[in-house]
Amino acid sequence: MRFYSVFLLVILGLNSNAQITEYNPSIGWNYVKSQELVMVDGLWYNTEFAAEIGFDYIFIMNHKLDSAMASIQVFNLQDEYISIKNRDTSNKILDLTFDVKDSGVYRVFFGINDKKGSVDNHDVQFMLVRRKKV
């Protein structure tokens, strides 16, 4: 029984290390989180994430709309503005890089709006990637 418990802990430990995968190994970018979402047009979404000093972070929002306004905003838990990026063009990828000044938990808000108004739900891939500062 003890053997099975140790074996299970080793497997779980290996699995937890496998959650961060390399995004661009030549410059050291690693996935922290990637999620496929169905976002409702005009609604804002938010989530919290932990960030550490000594790392650069980038949020990437990938959508399929030709006429969309997308936005990503990062705040700390005291609701102080950290970084923002709005894009009102036909680019299908919006990325926001930011520098962490204090380790802790941050909040990201993101949304997408179809300027033509013909689509109510949008398939979006939302990623958080990080790398060690050089």
Side-chain angles (χ1 to χ4, degrees), residues 28-63:
W29 285 106
N30 294 315
Y31 277 116
V32 174
K33 188 176 188 178
S34 178
Q35 188 167 359
E36 300 286 331
L37 302 169
V38 177
M39 296 176 62
V40 176
D41 191 61
L43 289 182
W44 284 90
Y45 296 81
N46 72 65
T47 187
E48 295 177 353
F49 64 98
E52 301 175 53
I53 294 177
F55 289 92
D56 291 323
Y57 290 84
I58 183 169
F59 280 103
I60 302 169
M61 184 188 304
N62 188 3
H63 59 85

Side-chain angles (χ1 to χ4, degrees), residues 19-99:
Q19 296 301 317
I20 295 179
T21 60
E22 290 186 356
Y23 179 65
N24 189 344
S26 64
I27 58 173
W29 285 106
N30 294 315
Y31 277 116
V32 174
K33 188 176 188 178
S34 178
Q35 188 167 359
E36 300 286 331
L37 302 169
V38 177
M39 296 176 62
V40 176
D41 191 61
L43 289 182
W44 284 90
Y45 296 81
N46 72 65
T47 187
E48 295 177 353
F49 64 98
E52 301 175 53
I53 294 177
F55 289 92
D56 291 323
Y57 290 84
I58 183 169
F59 280 103
I60 302 169
M61 184 188 304
N62 188 3
H63 59 85
K64 296 176 176 74
L65 293 175
D66 288 331
S67 62
M69 179 180 170
S71 179
I72 303 173
Q73 303 175 3
V74 177
F75 295 87
N76 64 16
L77 287 185
Q78 289 76 35
D79 289 329
E80 296 170 341
Y81 160 79
I82 303 297
S83 188
I84 185 171
K85 190 168 217 180
N86 294 319
R87 179 80 40 93
D88 194 14
T89 63
S90 63
N91 290 346
K92 295 183 179 183
I93 294 177
L94 178 67
D95 58 0
L96 172 67
T97 58
F98 66 98
D99 183 32

